[in-house]
Amino acid sequence: MADETTEVLIVGGSMVGLAQALFLARQGIRSLLVERHAEISAHPRAQAASPRTMELLRALGLEDAVRARENPHAQYGDILQAESLTGAELGRFDGPFRHDPNDVGTTGWTLIGQDRLEPVLRERAEGLGADIRFATEMTEFSQDAEGVTAVVRDLGDGSERTVRARYMVAADGSRAPIRTSLGIGHHGQGVFGGQMNIIFHADLDPYVAGRTFFLCFVSNPQVKGVLGKLGGADSDRWVLAPSLPPGADHRAYGTEDCVELVRAAVGVPDLPVEVESATSWEIAAWVADRFRSGRVLLAGDCAHVMPPTGGFGGNMGIQDAHNLAWKLALVLRGAAGPELLDSYEQERAPVAEFTVDQGVIRYLQRSGLDEAAAARHRPETTVLFGHVYRSDAVLREVGDEDDAVVEDPTAPTGRPGTRAPHLPLVRQGKEVPLHDLLDRDFWLLAGPDGHAWQAAAASRGLSFHHVGKEEPPAVVDHFLTRYGIGPTGAVLLRPDGFIAWRTPGEVADPAESLTAVLDRVLRRAPGTDDTPPASGATRHTMT
């Protein structure tokens, strides 16, 4: 018998694991998160929360808390290119995180390092009941038809406990020990090179010389990398992220090596430098061959890795966690069949393939872009908001034969599988962006003459909004045009803000139609057994 039980065991307490715990807690699902490190990393790593990520966090009421922790120089936005901080300037360009998505999204980029975002996620997750344990590692696990049994070790006192969970989410990073133990491979272009993060203290104000920039890209014979300030106006705490050759390990670089790299980046050979810490990581591009093995699901870097250009990687992982959370919650509550979880890989794997490719294209732009890659380039807004899901959790329409993974979100089709276009709704006299409402529930939006849909939605436990009851005509026209329905039509939105189904006009029995739609989307069949087929347990030892 297990020492303790939980609904979901999350392995990995970085940004994706913490987001998974948060989104599950918001859905009312208990989770246990274990992380082998003693505390949140001091290294910024991911540098920005995308408009789509901010949209998800805004719906949880976290936008202000996240923006309050933006990086000290976030307001400057642009990027300086120079031989060194004191050397010749090579140019400036707008940072990739300042192109807000027009009227496509609810909010814009937030320039926040991972080290600043993770405490916000952790605090809210724990406040909602998530059990988060740092300095705790999972040493082995096995799974059977009904759940996962894992052994976790407290690295403080060495004690071990057995945990029984109904599902496990692997958020254990790009080294992916869980994915490897499951025998799941990966494919893609592989490793391009390496990069270090060196956190250091030095007085650089005389060399900044009053210039404003978010980041400084330096390039000279001694070092190629990125300089960024970590502390406030009076702080001397900075980070240098120098590029490394493929296969290089930062452990081969001693403190003096790091000092010399910093001095080369600043352009001052005798600069006093105190190195706080250093770490390294690979710049790579690959996608896991599968995102699921039985009751174990992969999220974040253990499922897909992409170059940092564009800022897509960490944000993709947070969105994995959000996609997975509402599906796990419905399955665990018995409101959906377990087959609903199949749609996680069906939806996120193609999007990962596309986004990894877009990250590679942007990485190659730094060293010259070949024509074939340039032809695949898509605008940032499309990468962030243009996903088209093709899965069993979407009711694809007759005649919709397009298998494209994305569409232009500035010209939305409103077809099932796409993100619901932004709408400024009015509720009780107050304007509320549509995606602020899309937190936990399914929503039904009906046209101005779709009165019959309200009672049908209530009878099926759906949240409902009658577009046109309070909205001005321009918003109603916007809704009907962008969602592709008539005045008596309706649109069913999933908890993640994607369109599950739509009908252009009225139907004979709205309640019966909604029942049939929900049964298909949620993969449930009344009277059938929701328990997966029995299978023998397979043990996996973590290394």
PDB file of all heavy atoms in Angstrom, residues 172-203:
ATOM      1  N   ASP A 172      10.182  17.120 -16.557  1.00  0.00           N
ATOM      2  CA  ASP A 172      11.537  17.010 -16.013  1.00  0.00           C
ATOM      3  C   ASP A 172      12.611  17.520 -16.962  1.00  0.00           C
ATOM      4  O   ASP A 172      13.775  17.150 -16.835  1.00  0.00           O
ATOM      5  CB  ASP A 172      11.826  15.569 -15.576  1.00  0.00           C
ATOM      6  CG  ASP A 172      11.581  14.542 -16.674  1.00  0.00           C
ATOM      7  OD1 ASP A 172      10.890  14.867 -17.655  1.00  0.00           O
ATOM      8  OD2 ASP A 172      12.065  13.408 -16.546  1.00  0.00           O
ATOM      9  N   GLY A 173      12.239  18.367 -17.921  1.00  0.00           N
ATOM     10  CA  GLY A 173      13.230  19.090 -18.696  1.00  0.00           C
ATOM     11  C   GLY A 173      13.796  18.350 -19.882  1.00  0.00           C
ATOM     12  O   GLY A 173      13.437  17.204 -20.187  1.00  0.00           O
ATOM     13  N   SER A 174      14.727  19.012 -20.576  1.00  0.00           N
ATOM     14  CA  SER A 174      15.233  18.514 -21.852  1.00  0.00           C
ATOM     15  C   SER A 174      16.065  17.250 -21.721  1.00  0.00           C
ATOM     16  O   SER A 174      16.187  16.487 -22.686  1.00  0.00           O
ATOM     17  CB  SER A 174      16.062  19.604 -22.537  1.00  0.00           C
ATOM     18  OG  SER A 174      17.152  19.992 -21.717  1.00  0.00           O
ATOM     19  N   ARG A 175      16.646  17.009 -20.544  1.00  0.00           N
ATOM     20  CA  ARG A 175      17.387  15.750 -20.382  1.00  0.00           C
ATOM     21  C   ARG A 175      16.442  14.559 -20.293  1.00  0.00           C
ATOM     22  O   ARG A 175      16.831  13.426 -20.517  1.00  0.00           O
ATOM     23  CB  ARG A 175      18.297  15.831 -19.152  1.00  0.00           C
ATOM     24  CG  ARG A 175      19.440  16.823 -19.327  1.00  0.00           C
ATOM     25  CD  ARG A 175      20.366  16.864 -18.121  1.00  0.00           C
ATOM     26  NE  ARG A 175      21.522  17.697 -18.356  1.00  0.00           N
ATOM     27  CZ  ARG A 175      21.574  19.002 -18.173  1.00  0.00           C
ATOM     28  NH1 ARG A 175      20.489  19.631 -17.739  1.00  0.00           N
ATOM     29  NH2 ARG A 175      22.664  19.688 -18.412  1.00  0.00           N
ATOM     30  N   ALA A 176      15.213  14.805 -19.918  1.00  0.00           N
ATOM     31  CA  ALA A 176      14.074  13.891 -20.068  1.00  0.00           C
ATOM     32  C   ALA A 176      14.321  12.479 -19.544  1.00  0.00           C
ATOM     33  O   ALA A 176      14.128  11.505 -20.275  1.00  0.00           O
ATOM     34  CB  ALA A 176      13.649  13.837 -21.532  1.00  0.00           C
ATOM     35  N   PRO A 177      14.707  12.303 -18.281  1.00  0.00           N
ATOM     36  CA  PRO A 177      14.917  10.931 -17.791  1.00  0.00           C
ATOM     37  C   PRO A 177      13.644  10.085 -17.821  1.00  0.00           C
ATOM     38  O   PRO A 177      13.730   8.875 -18.067  1.00  0.00           O
ATOM     39  CB  PRO A 177      15.424  11.144 -16.360  1.00  0.00           C
ATOM     40  CG  PRO A 177      15.028  12.534 -15.984  1.00  0.00           C
ATOM     41  CD  PRO A 177      15.047  13.305 -17.254  1.00  0.00           C
ATOM     42  N   ILE A 178      12.477  10.673 -17.585  1.00  0.00           N
ATOM     43  CA  ILE A 178      11.243   9.877 -17.614  1.00  0.00           C
ATOM     44  C   ILE A 178      10.948   9.426 -19.038  1.00  0.00           C
ATOM     45  O   ILE A 178      10.638   8.249 -19.274  1.00  0.00           O
ATOM     46  CB  ILE A 178      10.062  10.680 -17.037  1.00  0.00           C
ATOM     47  CG1 ILE A 178      10.282  10.939 -15.547  1.00  0.00           C
ATOM     48  CG2 ILE A 178       8.741   9.934 -17.251  1.00  0.00           C
ATOM     49  CD1 ILE A 178       9.225  11.815 -14.916  1.00  0.00           C
ATOM     50  N   ARG A 179      11.038  10.349 -19.994  1.00  0.00           N
ATOM     51  CA  ARG A 179      10.786   9.968 -21.389  1.00  0.00           C
ATOM     52  C   ARG A 179      11.748   8.877 -21.829  1.00  0.00           C
ATOM     53  O   ARG A 179      11.354   7.901 -22.487  1.00  0.00           O
ATOM     54  CB  ARG A 179      10.927  11.204 -22.293  1.00  0.00           C
ATOM     55  CG  ARG A 179      10.750  10.873 -23.773  1.00  0.00           C
ATOM     56  CD  ARG A 179      10.877  12.099 -24.647  1.00  0.00           C
ATOM     57  NE  ARG A 179      12.143  12.783 -24.528  1.00  0.00           N
ATOM     58  CZ  ARG A 179      13.289  12.353 -25.061  1.00  0.00           C
ATOM     59  NH1 ARG A 179      13.320  11.202 -25.737  1.00  0.00           N
ATOM     60  NH2 ARG A 179      14.393  13.035 -24.903  1.00  0.00           N
ATOM     61  N   THR A 180      13.009   9.010 -21.464  1.00  0.00           N
ATOM     62  CA  THR A 180      14.007   8.013 -21.836  1.00  0.00           C
ATOM     63  C   THR A 180      13.682   6.658 -21.221  1.00  0.00           C
ATOM     64  O   THR A 180      13.775   5.621 -21.881  1.00  0.00           O
ATOM     65  CB  THR A 180      15.402   8.488 -21.393  1.00  0.00           C
ATOM     66  OG1 THR A 180      15.688   9.748 -22.003  1.00  0.00           O
ATOM     67  CG2 THR A 180      16.467   7.472 -21.787  1.00  0.00           C
ATOM     68  N   SER A 181      13.274   6.649 -19.947  1.00  0.00           N
ATOM     69  CA  SER A 181      12.963   5.381 -19.281  1.00  0.00           C
ATOM     70  C   SER A 181      11.748   4.704 -19.899  1.00  0.00           C
ATOM     71  O   SER A 181      11.619   3.475 -19.847  1.00  0.00           O
ATOM     72  CB  SER A 181      12.729   5.612 -17.785  1.00  0.00           C
ATOM     73  OG  SER A 181      11.501   6.266 -17.553  1.00  0.00           O
ATOM     74  N   LEU A 182      10.870   5.489 -20.502  1.00  0.00           N
ATOM     75  CA  LEU A 182       9.692   4.929 -21.167  1.00  0.00           C
ATOM     76  C   LEU A 182      10.008   4.422 -22.565  1.00  0.00           C
ATOM     77  O   LEU A 182       9.140   3.847 -23.234  1.00  0.00           O
ATOM     78  CB  LEU A 182       8.594   5.995 -21.249  1.00  0.00           C
ATOM     79  CG  LEU A 182       7.944   6.392 -19.919  1.00  0.00           C
ATOM     80  CD1 LEU A 182       7.109   7.660 -20.099  1.00  0.00           C
ATOM     81  CD2 LEU A 182       7.082   5.262 -19.377  1.00  0.00           C
ATOM     82  N   GLY A 183      11.227   4.661 -23.033  1.00  0.00           N
ATOM     83  CA  GLY A 183      11.607   4.208 -24.364  1.00  0.00           C
ATOM     84  C   GLY A 183      11.054   5.079 -25.477  1.00  0.00           C
ATOM     85  O   GLY A 183      10.974   4.636 -26.629  1.00  0.00           O
ATOM     86  N   ILE A 184      10.709   6.329 -25.167  1.00  0.00           N
ATOM     87  CA  ILE A 184      10.190   7.248 -26.179  1.00  0.00           C
ATOM     88  C   ILE A 184      11.353   8.045 -26.753  1.00  0.00           C
ATOM     89  O   ILE A 184      12.069   8.742 -26.029  1.00  0.00           O
ATOM     90  CB  ILE A 184       9.145   8.202 -25.579  1.00  0.00           C
ATOM     91  CG1 ILE A 184       7.966   7.411 -25.006  1.00  0.00           C
ATOM     92  CG2 ILE A 184       8.656   9.191 -26.640  1.00  0.00           C
ATOM     93  CD1 ILE A 184       6.942   8.277 -24.289  1.00  0.00           C
ATOM     94  N   GLY A 185      11.544   7.931 -28.041  1.00  0.00           N
ATOM     95  CA  GLY A 185      12.625   8.652 -28.697  1.00  0.00           C
ATOM     96  C   GLY A 185      12.214  10.058 -29.083  1.00  0.00           C
ATOM     97  O   GLY A 185      11.155  10.547 -28.711  1.00  0.00           O
ATOM     98  N   HIS A 186      13.081  10.707 -29.862  1.00  0.00           N
ATOM     99  CA  HIS A 186      12.756  12.039 -30.359  1.00  0.00           C
ATOM    100  C   HIS A 186      13.357  12.207 -31.743  1.00  0.00           C
ATOM    101  O   HIS A 186      14.239  11.453 -32.158  1.00  0.00           O
ATOM    102  CB  HIS A 186      13.262  13.125 -29.399  1.00  0.00           C
ATOM    103  CG  HIS A 186      14.748  13.123 -29.169  1.00  0.00           C
ATOM    104  ND1 HIS A 186      15.646  13.721 -30.030  1.00  0.00           N
ATOM    105  CD2 HIS A 186      15.497  12.594 -28.167  1.00  0.00           C
ATOM    106  CE1 HIS A 186      16.866  13.563 -29.576  1.00  0.00           C
ATOM    107  NE2 HIS A 186      16.812  12.874 -28.439  1.00  0.00           N
ATOM    108  N   HIS A 187      12.878  13.194 -32.465  1.00  0.00           N
ATOM    109  CA  HIS A 187      13.335  13.445 -33.816  1.00  0.00           C
ATOM    110  C   HIS A 187      13.461  14.943 -34.039  1.00  0.00           C
ATOM    111  O   HIS A 187      12.828  15.731 -33.350  1.00  0.00           O
ATOM    112  CB  HIS A 187      12.361  12.843 -34.837  1.00  0.00           C
ATOM    113  CG  HIS A 187      10.957  13.369 -34.698  1.00  0.00           C
ATOM    114  ND1 HIS A 187      10.057  12.835 -33.792  1.00  0.00           N
ATOM    115  CD2 HIS A 187      10.312  14.393 -35.311  1.00  0.00           C
ATOM    116  CE1 HIS A 187       8.910  13.507 -33.869  1.00  0.00           C
ATOM    117  NE2 HIS A 187       9.037  14.451 -34.772  1.00  0.00           N
ATOM    118  N   GLY A 188      14.296  15.324 -35.005  1.00  0.00           N
ATOM    119  CA  GLY A 188      14.490  16.738 -35.289  1.00  0.00           C
ATOM    120  C   GLY A 188      15.908  17.016 -35.719  1.00  0.00           C
ATOM    121  O   GLY A 188      16.694  16.097 -36.005  1.00  0.00           O
ATOM    122  N   GLN A 189      16.259  18.296 -35.747  1.00  0.00           N
ATOM    123  CA  GLN A 189      17.556  18.697 -36.271  1.00  0.00           C
ATOM    124  C   GLN A 189      18.689  18.521 -35.278  1.00  0.00           C
ATOM    125  O   GLN A 189      19.847  18.656 -35.639  1.00  0.00           O
ATOM    126  CB  GLN A 189      17.490  20.153 -36.749  1.00  0.00           C
ATOM    127  CG  GLN A 189      16.496  20.351 -37.888  1.00  0.00           C
ATOM    128  CD  GLN A 189      16.586  21.732 -38.499  1.00  0.00           C
ATOM    129  OE1 GLN A 189      17.661  22.263 -38.725  1.00  0.00           O
ATOM    130  NE2 GLN A 189      15.439  22.326 -38.773  1.00  0.00           N
ATOM    131  N   GLY A 190      18.376  18.269 -34.027  1.00  0.00           N
ATOM    132  CA  GLY A 190      19.408  17.980 -33.046  1.00  0.00           C
ATOM    133  C   GLY A 190      20.031  19.231 -32.445  1.00  0.00           C
ATOM    134  O   GLY A 190      19.409  20.276 -32.360  1.00  0.00           O
ATOM    135  N   VAL A 191      21.302  19.103 -32.049  1.00  0.00           N
ATOM    136  CA  VAL A 191      21.986  20.158 -31.288  1.00  0.00           C
ATOM    137  C   VAL A 191      22.721  21.102 -32.230  1.00  0.00           C
ATOM    138  O   VAL A 191      23.470  20.672 -33.101  1.00  0.00           O
ATOM    139  CB  VAL A 191      22.983  19.532 -30.292  1.00  0.00           C
ATOM    140  CG1 VAL A 191      23.734  20.630 -29.542  1.00  0.00           C
ATOM    141  CG2 VAL A 191      22.252  18.624 -29.312  1.00  0.00           C
ATOM    142  N   PHE A 192      22.489  22.402 -32.061  1.00  0.00           N
ATOM    143  CA  PHE A 192      23.196  23.419 -32.820  1.00  0.00           C
ATOM    144  C   PHE A 192      24.443  23.902 -32.087  1.00  0.00           C
ATOM    145  O   PHE A 192      25.417  24.314 -32.704  1.00  0.00           O
ATOM    146  CB  PHE A 192      22.282  24.629 -33.060  1.00  0.00           C
ATOM    147  CG  PHE A 192      21.110  24.346 -33.955  1.00  0.00           C
ATOM    148  CD1 PHE A 192      19.869  24.063 -33.418  1.00  0.00           C
ATOM    149  CD2 PHE A 192      21.251  24.356 -35.335  1.00  0.00           C
ATOM    150  CE1 PHE A 192      18.795  23.810 -34.238  1.00  0.00           C
ATOM    151  CE2 PHE A 192      20.181  24.105 -36.161  1.00  0.00           C
ATOM    152  CZ  PHE A 192      18.934  23.828 -35.615  1.00  0.00           C
ATOM    153  N   GLY A 193      24.384  23.901 -30.778  1.00  0.00           N
ATOM    154  CA  GLY A 193      25.495  24.391 -29.986  1.00  0.00           C
ATOM    155  C   GLY A 193      25.100  24.460 -28.529  1.00  0.00           C
ATOM    156  O   GLY A 193      24.082  23.899 -28.112  1.00  0.00           O
ATOM    157  N   GLY A 194      25.900  25.143 -27.740  1.00  0.00           N
ATOM    158  CA  GLY A 194      25.610  25.270 -26.320  1.00  0.00           C
ATOM    159  C   GLY A 194      25.643  26.715 -25.891  1.00  0.00           C
ATOM    160  O   GLY A 194      26.101  27.600 -26.621  1.00  0.00           O
ATOM    161  N   GLN A 195      25.130  26.949 -24.702  1.00  0.00           N
ATOM    162  CA  GLN A 195      25.141  28.295 -24.157  1.00  0.00           C
ATOM    163  C   GLN A 195      25.273  28.221 -22.647  1.00  0.00           C
ATOM    164  O   GLN A 195      24.750  27.292 -22.018  1.00  0.00           O
ATOM    165  CB  GLN A 195      23.869  29.047 -24.538  1.00  0.00           C
ATOM    166  CG  GLN A 195      23.979  30.550 -24.354  1.00  0.00           C
ATOM    167  CD  GLN A 195      23.015  31.307 -25.258  1.00  0.00           C
ATOM    168  OE1 GLN A 195      22.412  30.741 -26.159  1.00  0.00           O
ATOM    169  NE2 GLN A 195      22.881  32.600 -25.027  1.00  0.00           N
ATOM    170  N   MET A 196      26.009  29.170 -22.102  1.00  0.00           N
ATOM    171  CA  MET A 196      26.138  29.282 -20.654  1.00  0.00           C
ATOM    172  C   MET A 196      25.281  30.430 -20.150  1.00  0.00           C
ATOM    173  O   MET A 196      24.952  31.355 -20.906  1.00  0.00           O
ATOM    174  CB  MET A 196      27.590  29.555 -20.258  1.00  0.00           C
ATOM    175  CG  MET A 196      28.524  28.383 -20.375  1.00  0.00           C
ATOM    176  SD  MET A 196      30.186  28.842 -19.822  1.00  0.00           S
ATOM    177  CE  MET A 196      29.931  29.025 -18.061  1.00  0.00           C
ATOM    178  N   ASN A 197      24.942  30.381 -18.910  1.00  0.00           N
ATOM    179  CA  ASN A 197      24.418  31.526 -18.178  1.00  0.00           C
ATOM    180  C   ASN A 197      25.388  31.802 -17.040  1.00  0.00           C
ATOM    181  O   ASN A 197      25.588  30.934 -16.177  1.00  0.00           O
ATOM    182  CB  ASN A 197      23.021  31.242 -17.613  1.00  0.00           C
ATOM    183  CG  ASN A 197      21.923  31.581 -18.595  1.00  0.00           C
ATOM    184  OD1 ASN A 197      22.178  31.950 -19.731  1.00  0.00           O
ATOM    185  ND2 ASN A 197      20.683  31.461 -18.155  1.00  0.00           N
ATOM    186  N   ILE A 198      25.978  32.976 -17.041  1.00  0.00           N
ATOM    187  CA  ILE A 198      26.887  33.375 -15.973  1.00  0.00           C
ATOM    188  C   ILE A 198      26.250  34.545 -15.233  1.00  0.00           C
ATOM    189  O   ILE A 198      26.082  35.636 -15.798  1.00  0.00           O
ATOM    190  CB  ILE A 198      28.268  33.808 -16.521  1.00  0.00           C
ATOM    191  CG1 ILE A 198      28.894  32.681 -17.353  1.00  0.00           C
ATOM    192  CG2 ILE A 198      29.196  34.216 -15.378  1.00  0.00           C
ATOM    193  CD1 ILE A 198      30.146  33.123 -18.126  1.00  0.00           C
ATOM    194  N   ILE A 199      25.858  34.322 -13.996  1.00  0.00           N
ATOM    195  CA  ILE A 199      25.355  35.416 -13.175  1.00  0.00           C
ATOM    196  C   ILE A 199      26.546  36.020 -12.432  1.00  0.00           C
ATOM    197  O   ILE A 199      27.323  35.305 -11.784  1.00  0.00           O
ATOM    198  CB  ILE A 199      24.290  34.921 -12.185  1.00  0.00           C
ATOM    199  CG1 ILE A 199      23.055  34.415 -12.956  1.00  0.00           C
ATOM    200  CG2 ILE A 199      23.894  36.033 -11.221  1.00  0.00           C
ATOM    201  CD1 ILE A 199      21.952  33.890 -12.052  1.00  0.00           C
ATOM    202  N   PHE A 200      26.697  37.343 -12.558  1.00  0.00           N
ATOM    203  CA  PHE A 200      27.878  37.984 -11.966  1.00  0.00           C
ATOM    204  C   PHE A 200      27.505  39.359 -11.411  1.00  0.00           C
ATOM    205  O   PHE A 200      26.440  39.917 -11.713  1.00  0.00           O
ATOM    206  CB  PHE A 200      28.989  38.123 -13.006  1.00  0.00           C
ATOM    207  CG  PHE A 200      28.675  39.062 -14.146  1.00  0.00           C
ATOM    208  CD1 PHE A 200      29.066  40.397 -14.109  1.00  0.00           C
ATOM    209  CD2 PHE A 200      27.981  38.613 -15.263  1.00  0.00           C
ATOM    210  CE1 PHE A 200      28.780  41.265 -15.153  1.00  0.00           C
ATOM    211  CE2 PHE A 200      27.684  39.468 -16.318  1.00  0.00           C
ATOM    212  CZ  PHE A 200      28.086  40.805 -16.266  1.00  0.00           C
ATOM    213  N   HIS A 201      28.404  39.868 -10.598  1.00  0.00           N
ATOM    214  CA  HIS A 201      28.257  41.211 -10.034  1.00  0.00           C
ATOM    215  C   HIS A 201      29.418  42.071 -10.531  1.00  0.00           C
ATOM    216  O   HIS A 201      30.586  41.671 -10.434  1.00  0.00           O
ATOM    217  CB  HIS A 201      28.269  41.159  -8.503  1.00  0.00           C
ATOM    218  CG  HIS A 201      27.111  40.410  -7.918  1.00  0.00           C
ATOM    219  ND1 HIS A 201      25.988  41.031  -7.435  1.00  0.00           N
ATOM    220  CD2 HIS A 201      26.891  39.063  -7.771  1.00  0.00           C
ATOM    221  CE1 HIS A 201      25.126  40.124  -7.003  1.00  0.00           C
ATOM    222  NE2 HIS A 201      25.656  38.922  -7.191  1.00  0.00           N
ATOM    223  N   ALA A 202      29.076  43.224 -11.078  1.00  0.00           N
ATOM    224  CA  ALA A 202      30.082  44.175 -11.540  1.00  0.00           C
ATOM    225  C   ALA A 202      29.407  45.525 -11.738  1.00  0.00           C
ATOM    226  O   ALA A 202      28.215  45.583 -12.081  1.00  0.00           O
ATOM    227  CB  ALA A 202      30.727  43.709 -12.843  1.00  0.00           C
ATOM    228  N   ASP A 203      30.164  46.584 -11.544  1.00  0.00           N
ATOM    229  CA  ASP A 203      29.643  47.934 -11.763  1.00  0.00           C
ATOM    230  C   ASP A 203      29.807  48.274 -13.239  1.00  0.00           C
ATOM    231  O   ASP A 203      30.885  48.672 -13.688  1.00  0.00           O
ATOM    232  CB  ASP A 203      30.386  48.942 -10.887  1.00  0.00           C
ATOM    233  CG  ASP A 203      29.847  50.364 -11.084  1.00  0.00           C
ATOM    234  OD1 ASP A 203      28.785  50.519 -11.737  1.00  0.00           O
ATOM    235  OD2 ASP A 203      30.491  51.303 -10.581  1.00  0.00           O
TER     236      ASP A 203
END
